[in-house]
């Protein structure tokens, strides 16, 4: 028992939302792009923001966290939020994180004090109908309408000071597809204006595959405002490194046939790598870890995925939504489904089920890769539905 507990304590694999993996693999190009942005910022050269889009479980949040650490480590002012979909909450989070970042920055030459003065001045302003006036800041119904103006003034003032110190403001936003058009449109307009004024403000956002379309719908110039990066499955070689490097570093590598099986069952999804790696490590008392441990632990890994990715999402929707998802799964678990075929399976017209589809899209369970098509946002969701066939009567448990 003691050996088993020690083995689990040494397990390098840990699936979790946004948790840094023991080995970040396959994202070298994305790291290089942000490294280039930082270098250009130091030279007072302009760049575009970056948008990362992809399915859930591919490591978008992990990548954002890593990129923020990289930028902050090279004396950029960085702030990170996760969009809630509520405009007031998102504005509050942006202001809070930018203020916090300005308090923590380590640059010398009086920059920290200058940033503090800028923030204090803007906090004491209110925006009247006839221009700016100094007043005591207070919560009011007018606060929401003032937010776009205050945010633009804050970012312009901060980036003006940062530019003098060869630095810039990097705003990282996760789940960006959830953000309402206000403040989303405001943020894009601000980045556009700052670019025109040669001021270093960049949005680095991540979201589901429909995110580029959301941005384009909000602002017509979104295509030119960002560099778009699709974050997908890892190659077999990268997946092998994701398993083997941390395992070897912790003294218990996988055998070749065990590694080949892990690559196969994980399908190159970083979250799956953590789940299958954790289960195989815990199931084996041998060194190296053999194929038998992988096969024996697959049910445990699937249960981890069910709990971490699928069950709560299934419970979150209505019985009508579940029937829609089940129809999609029966059509095909991997490729997009035709909305007309989904409607046919449900005995409805596409118009009758369009509201259900839109609600599932808003919940982030499905997206539309092209007109007339829908697909799951979570890899393996269709297979889960067919395998587990959860009851339509299952009640959302609040997770």
């Amino acid at each position: 028992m003691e050996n088993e507990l020690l083995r689990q304590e040494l397990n390098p694999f840990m699936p979790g939302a946004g948790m840094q993996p023991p080995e970040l693999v396959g994202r070298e190009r994305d790291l290089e792009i942000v490294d280039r942005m930082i270098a250009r910022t130091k030279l007072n050269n302009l760049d575009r923001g970056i948008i990362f889009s992809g399915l859930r479980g591919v490591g978008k949040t992990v990548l954002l966290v890593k990129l923020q650490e990289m930028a902050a480590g090279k004396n950029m002012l960085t702030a990170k939020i996760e969009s809630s979909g509520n405009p007031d909450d998102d504005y509050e989070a942006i202001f809070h994180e930018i203020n916090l970042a300005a308090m923590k920055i380590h640059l010398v030459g009086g920059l920290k004090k200058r940033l503090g003065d800028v923030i204090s001045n803007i906090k004491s302003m209110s925006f009247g109908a006839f221009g700016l006036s100094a007043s005591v800041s207070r919560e009011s119904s007018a606060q929401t309408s003032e937010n776009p103006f205050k945010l633009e003034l804050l970012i312009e003032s901060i980036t003006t000071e940062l530019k003098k110190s060869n630095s810039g403001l990097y705003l990282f936003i996760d789940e960006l597809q959830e953000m309402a058009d206000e403040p989303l449109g405001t943020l894009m307009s601000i980045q556009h204006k700052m670019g025109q004024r040669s001021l270093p403000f960049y949005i680095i956002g991540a979201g589901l595959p429909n995110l580029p379309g959301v941005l384009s719908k909000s602002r017509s110039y979104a295509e030119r405002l960002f560099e778009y990066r699709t974050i997908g499955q890892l190659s077999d070689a990268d997946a092998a490194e994701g398993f083997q490097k941390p395992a070897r570093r912790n003294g218990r590598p996988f055998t070749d046939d065990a590694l080949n099986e892990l690559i196969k069952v994980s399908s190159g999804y970083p979250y799956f790598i953590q789940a299958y790696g954790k289960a195989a490590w815990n199931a084996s008392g041998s060194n190296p870890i053999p194929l038998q441990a992988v096969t024996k632990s697959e049910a445990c890994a699937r249960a981890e995925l069910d709990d971490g990715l699928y069950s709560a999402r299934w419970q979150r929707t209505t019985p009508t939504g579940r029937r829609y998802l089940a129809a999609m799964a029966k059509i095909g678990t991997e490729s997009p489904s035709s909305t007309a075929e989904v409607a046919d399976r449900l005995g409805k017209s596409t118009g009758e089920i369009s509201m259900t589809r839109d609600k599932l899209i808003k919940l982030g369970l499905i997206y539309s890769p092209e007109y007339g098509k829908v697909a799951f946002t979570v890899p393996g969701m269709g297979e889960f539905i067919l395998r587990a066939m959860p009851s339509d009567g299952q009640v959302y448990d609040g997770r």
Side-chain angles (χ1 to χ4, degrees), residues 122-291:
I122 292 172
K123 280 183 177 179
S124 67
M125 291 179 177
S126 76
F127 291 72
F130 302 102
L132 292 175
S133 61
S135 71
V136 178
S137 177
R138 65 182 183 276
E139 296 294 327
S140 68
S141 59
Q143 189 68 28
T144 298
S145 62
E146 292 179 358
N147 281 334
F149 304 103
K150 281 195 172 183
L151 184 59
E152 181 175 344
L153 183 58
L154 175 67
I155 290 174
E156 181 176 7
S157 302
I158 283 180
T159 52
T160 298
E161 294 299 330
L162 289 172
K163 185 175 181 179
K164 297 174 185 176
S165 297
N166 304 109
S167 183
L169 173 57
Y170 288 62
L171 178 59
F172 296 83
I173 309 177
D174 204 2
E175 300 292 350
L176 185 54
Q177 81 285 339
E178 296 288 342
M179 188 172 282
D181 190 55
E182 175 56 51
L184 178 61
T186 293
L187 282 169
M188 288 196 289
S189 295
I190 291 173
Q191 182 174 302
H192 189 47
K193 290 177 181 177
M194 296 307 102
Q196 293 172 331
R197 298 168 191 170
S198 298
L199 293 174
F201 169 62
Y202 304 111
I203 298 167
I204 300 181
L208 294 175
N210 64 327
L211 176 55
V214 171
L215 299 178
S216 184
K217 183 178 179 181
S218 179
R219 291 294 184 272
S220 60
Y221 50 76
E223 293 179 358
R224 291 162 286 151
L225 200 60
F226 301 104
E227 179 169 347
Y228 290 88
R229 302 283 298 171
T230 300
I231 304 299
Q233 295 159 267
L234 298 173
S235 67
D236 285 355
D238 288 332
E241 283 195 8
F243 282 113
Q244 195 69 294
K245 276 191 173 182
R248 184 177 289 119
R249 190 164 53 238
N250 283 267
R252 298 178 68 233
F254 298 101
T255 62
D256 289 345
D257 52 358
L259 184 59
N260 289 335
E261 179 65 14
L262 286 169
I263 292 169
K264 177 183 174 183
V265 296
S266 67
S267 301
Y269 292 110
Y271 193 93
F272 289 25
I273 289 174
Q274 298 305 306
Y276 281 101
K278 175 188 174 183
W281 178 285
N282 287 342
S284 174
S286 303
N287 189 0
I289 299 172
L291 174 62

Side-chain angles (χ1 to χ4, degrees), residues 38 66-79 105-107 170 172:
I38 295 168
K66 181 67 176 179
L67 295 174
Q68 184 188 15
E69 289 177 355
M70 178 192 301
K74 296 190 176 182
N75 294 329
M76 299 296 113
L77 187 69
T78 70
I105 198 165
H106 295 301
L107 291 180
Y170 288 62
F172 296 83

